[in-house]
Coordinates of all heavy atoms in Angstrom, one line a residue:
L1 N -1.3 0.3 -9.7 CA -0.4 1.0 -8.8 C 0.5 0.0 -8.0 O 1.1 0.4 -7.0 CB -1.1 1.9 -7.8 CG -2.4 1.4 -7.1 CD1 -2.1 0.3 -6.1 CD2 -3.1 2.5 -6.4
I2 N 0.7 -1.2 -8.5 CA 1.4 -2.3 -7.8 C 2.8 -1.8 -7.4 O 3.2 -2.1 -6.2 CB 1.4 -3.6 -8.5 CG1 1.8 -4.8 -7.6 CG2 2.2 -3.5 -9.8 CD1 0.8 -5.2 -6.6
D3 N 3.5 -1.1 -8.3 CA 4.9 -0.7 -8.0 C 4.9 0.4 -7.0 O 6.0 0.7 -6.4 CB 5.6 -0.4 -9.2 CG 6.0 -1.6 -10.0 OD1 6.2 -2.7 -9.4 OD2 6.1 -1.5 -11.3
E4 N 3.8 1.2 -6.9 CA 3.8 2.4 -6.0 C 3.3 2.1 -4.6 O 3.3 3.0 -3.8 CB 2.9 3.5 -6.7 CG 3.5 4.0 -7.9 CD 3.4 3.1 -9.2 OE1 2.2 2.7 -9.5 OE2 4.4 2.7 -9.7
L5 N 2.9 0.9 -4.3 CA 2.3 0.6 -3.0 C 3.3 0.9 -1.8 O 2.8 1.4 -0.8 CB 1.8 -0.8 -2.9 CG 0.4 -1.0 -3.6 CD1 0.0 -2.4 -3.7 CD2 -0.7 -0.1 -2.9
P6 N 4.6 0.7 -1.9 CA 5.5 1.0 -0.8 C 5.4 2.5 -0.4 O 5.3 2.9 0.7 CB 6.9 0.6 -1.2 CG 6.6 -0.6 -2.1 CD 5.4 -0.2 -2.9
I7 N 5.4 3.4 -1.5 CA 5.4 4.8 -1.2 C 4.0 5.3 -0.8 O 3.9 6.2 0.0 CB 6.0 5.6 -2.4 CG1 6.2 7.1 -2.0 CG2 5.1 5.6 -3.6 CD1 7.3 7.3 -1.0
I8 N 3.0 4.6 -1.3 CA 1.6 4.9 -0.8 C 1.5 4.6 0.7 O 0.9 5.3 1.4 CB 0.6 4.2 -1.7 CG1 0.5 4.7 -3.1 CG2 -0.8 4.2 -1.0 CD1 -0.3 3.9 -4.1
A9 N 2.1 3.5 1.1 CA 2.1 3.1 2.5 C 2.8 4.1 3.3 O 2.3 4.5 4.4 CB 2.8 1.7 2.7
L10 N 3.9 4.7 2.8 CA 4.5 5.8 3.6 C 3.5 7.0 3.7 O 3.4 7.6 4.8 CB 5.8 6.3 2.9 CG 6.4 7.5 3.5 CD1 6.8 7.3 5.0 CD2 7.6 8.0 2.7
A11 N 2.9 7.4 2.6 CA 1.9 8.5 2.7 C 0.8 8.2 3.7 O 0.4 9.1 4.5 CB 1.2 8.7 1.3
A12 N 0.4 6.9 3.8 CA -0.7 6.5 4.7 C -0.2 6.7 6.2 O -1.1 6.9 7.1 CB -1.1 5.1 4.4
T13 N 1.1 6.6 6.5 CA 1.6 6.7 7.8 C 1.4 8.2 8.3 O 1.3 8.4 9.5 CB 3.1 6.4 8.0 OG1 3.9 7.4 7.3 CG2 3.4 5.0 7.5
Q14 N 1.2 9.1 7.4 CA 1.0 10.5 7.7 C -0.4 11.0 7.5 O -0.7 12.2 7.7 CB 2.0 11.4 6.9 CG 3.5 11.0 7.0 CD 3.9 10.9 8.5 OE1 3.9 11.9 9.2 NE2 4.4 9.8 8.9
A15 N -1.3 10.1 7.1 CA -2.7 10.4 6.8 C -3.5 10.3 8.1 O -3.2 9.4 8.9 CB -3.2 9.6 5.7
E16 N -4.6 11.0 8.1 CA -5.6 10.9 9.2 C -6.4 9.6 9.1 O -7.2 9.5 8.1 CB -6.5 12.2 9.2 CG -7.2 12.4 10.6 CD -6.2 12.8 11.7 OE1 -5.3 13.6 11.6 OE2 -6.5 12.1 12.8
G17 N -6.3 8.7 10.0 CA -7.1 7.5 10.0 C -6.3 6.2 9.7 O -5.1 6.3 9.5
T18 N -7.0 5.1 9.4 CA -6.4 3.8 9.2 C -6.6 3.5 7.7 O -7.7 3.4 7.2 CB -7.0 2.7 10.0 OG1 -6.8 3.1 11.4 CG2 -6.4 1.4 9.7
T19 N -5.5 3.3 7.0 CA -5.5 2.9 5.6 C -5.4 1.4 5.5 O -4.5 0.8 6.1 CB -4.4 3.6 4.8 OG1 -4.7 5.0 4.8 CG2 -4.3 3.1 3.3
V20 N -6.2 0.8 4.6 CA -6.2 -0.7 4.4 C -5.9 -0.9 2.9 O -6.5 -0.4 2.0 CB -7.5 -1.3 4.8 CG1 -7.4 -2.8 4.6 CG2 -7.9 -1.0 6.3
I21 N -4.8 -1.8 2.7 CA -4.4 -2.2 1.4 C -4.7 -3.7 1.3 O -4.2 -4.5 2.1 CB -3.0 -1.9 1.1 CG1 -2.7 -0.4 1.1 CG2 -2.6 -2.4 -0.3 CD1 -1.2 0.0 1.0
R22 N -5.6 -4.1 0.3 CA -5.9 -5.5 0.1 C -5.6 -5.9 -1.3 O -5.3 -5.1 -2.2 CB -7.4 -5.8 0.3 CG -7.9 -5.5 1.7 CD -9.3 -6.0 1.9 NE -9.9 -5.6 3.2 CZ -10.6 -4.5 3.4 NH1 -10.8 -3.7 2.3 NH2 -11.1 -4.2 4.6
D23 N -5.6 -7.3 -1.6 CA -5.5 -7.8 -2.9 C -4.1 -7.6 -3.6 O -3.9 -7.6 -4.8 CB -6.6 -7.3 -3.9 CG -8.0 -7.6 -3.4 OD1 -8.2 -8.7 -2.8 OD2 -8.8 -6.7 -3.5
A24 N -3.1 -7.4 -2.7 CA -1.7 -7.0 -3.2 C -0.7 -8.1 -3.1 O 0.5 -7.9 -2.9 CB -1.3 -5.7 -2.5
Q25 N -1.2 -9.4 -3.2 CA -0.3 -10.6 -3.1 C 0.9 -10.5 -4.0 O 2.0 -11.0 -3.7 CB -1.0 -11.9 -3.3 CG -2.3 -12.1 -2.8 CD -3.5 -11.6 -3.4 OE1 -3.5 -10.5 -3.8 NE2 -4.6 -12.4 -3.5
E26 N 0.7 -9.8 -5.1 CA 1.8 -9.8 -6.1 C 3.0 -9.1 -5.5 O 4.2 -9.3 -6.0 CB 1.3 -9.0 -7.3 CG 2.1 -9.0 -8.6 CD 2.2 -10.4 -9.2 OE1 1.5 -11.3 -8.8 OE2 3.0 -10.5 -10.2
L27 N 2.9 -8.3 -4.5 CA 4.0 -7.6 -3.9 C 5.0 -8.6 -3.3 O 6.2 -8.2 -3.0 CB 3.5 -6.6 -2.8 CG 3.0 -5.3 -3.3 CD1 2.6 -4.4 -2.1 CD2 4.0 -4.5 -4.2
K28 N 4.5 -9.8 -3.0 CA 5.4 -10.8 -2.3 C 6.5 -11.3 -3.3 O 7.4 -11.9 -2.8 CB 4.6 -11.9 -1.8 CG 3.7 -11.5 -0.6 CD 2.9 -12.7 0.0 CE 2.1 -12.3 1.2 NZ 1.4 -13.5 1.8
V29 N 6.3 -11.2 -4.6 CA 7.2 -11.8 -5.6 C 7.9 -10.7 -6.4 O 8.2 -11.0 -7.6 CB 6.5 -12.8 -6.5 CG1 6.1 -14.1 -5.6 CG2 5.3 -12.3 -7.2

């Protein structure tokens, strides 16, 4: 889901609680 993480992050802003995304260093490049 590497390409979908930005939109997943948006979903998480509207979700109940704290979402943590790890191991996604690839997003930096």
Side-chain angles (χ1 to χ4, degrees):
L1 48 64
I2 192 74
D3 286 332
E4 292 75 58
L5 282 171
I7 192 67
I8 290 171
L10 173 63
T13 69
Q14 305 306 300
E16 197 66 48
T18 298
T19 294
V20 180
I21 299 172
R22 298 191 187 91
D23 305 320
Q25 312 82 319
E26 193 66 7
L27 282 181
K28 292 183 174 181
V29 292

